[in-house]
Amino acid sequence: MKRLLIVLLIALISVGCSNKNSQQSSQATPESSQTSEKNLTIEDVEGYWECKSDEEGILLKLGWKNDIDLYYSDGSKEKNSYNIIDSDSNSIEIEMRDEDKTTNIIIKSDDNGETITLKRNKKEHYFIRIPKDKFYVKLIEDYGGE
């Protein structure tokens, strides 16, 4: 009789533990699906772009060392550095600094950085990616730059 009670007790404990494990795994599933949503990173958008908005000719270089260079159609260049503030699955918010001021900018991309929209001072600029080996060639041809 004691053996039967022990076997019954062991069976109840093992069934209780397996139910608890299955409940924990079903609760963990939503959390893992939320964390699987990928944030857009600077690595996704680093590179060279040509502006395709109303201001034709602006070139953008988002570099590897927290630098952003904007080349304008008049041949001038704006050199800035940045810090990442926040990111989600299709945008990165950065704080852009030059010598005088700090500006918040939002970089959006629906295609992992092949095209980006840069929103700055309530103005949006739409850029398409330029191959790295064509960027400086394009600068020299279009603007007589370096």
Side-chain angles (χ1 to χ4, degrees):
M1 188 67 152
K2 284 184 179 182
R3 287 184 185 173
L4 185 60
L5 280 173
I6 291 173
V7 170
L8 187 60
L9 185 61
I10 291 173
L12 285 173
I13 290 173
S14 65
V15 169
C17 289
S18 68
N19 284 343
K20 187 176 180 181
N21 289 341
S22 66
Q23 286 174 354
Q24 286 176 346
S25 65
S26 68
Q27 288 172 354
T29 307
E31 290 174 17
S32 61
S33 65
Q34 287 173 353
T35 57
S36 67
E37 184 178 317
K38 183 182 177 293
N39 281 356
L40 189 67
T41 66
I42 286 293
E43 285 77 17
D44 294 326
V45 297
E46 276 177 332
Y48 305 84
W49 289 270
E50 178 179 6
C51 192
K52 289 294 179 186
S53 66
D54 56 346
E55 292 187 49
E56 289 293 326
I58 299 174
L59 295 176
L60 168 70
K61 176 188 169 211
L62 191 63
W64 292 98
K65 296 181 180 175
N66 286 27
D67 61 328
I68 297 176
D69 297 335
L70 286 163
Y71 298 86
Y72 295 99
S73 52
D74 65 359
S76 62
K77 174 183 174 183
E78 185 178 345
K79 190 169 180 63
N80 301 283
S81 61
Y82 66 84
N83 284 328
I84 299 173
I85 297 172
D86 195 15
S87 68
D88 61 30
S89 59
N90 68 347
S91 71
I92 303 171
E93 185 177 355
I94 62 173
E95 184 180 73
M96 189 167 92
R97 294 182 315 273
D98 65 10
E99 293 174 359
D100 301 327
K101 63 183 182 288
T102 299
T103 310
N104 280 13
I105 292 180
I106 297 174
I107 299 170
K108 292 183 181 174
S109 178
D110 293 332
D111 54 8
N112 206 38
E114 289 307 308
T115 58
I116 62 173
T117 305
L118 186 141
K119 186 172 184 179
R120 177 184 184 196
N121 299 331
K122 298 182 182 177
K123 204 169 191 182
E124 285 193 357
H125 304 281
Y126 171 72
F127 293 88
I128 59 166
R129 191 180 289 273
I130 305 174
K132 186 175 183 177
D133 58 340
K134 302 279 196 281
F135 181 75
Y136 289 107
V137 172
K138 185 158 190 52
L139 259 184
I140 292 167
E141 288 174 354
D142 291 356
Y143 312 115
E146 37 187 79

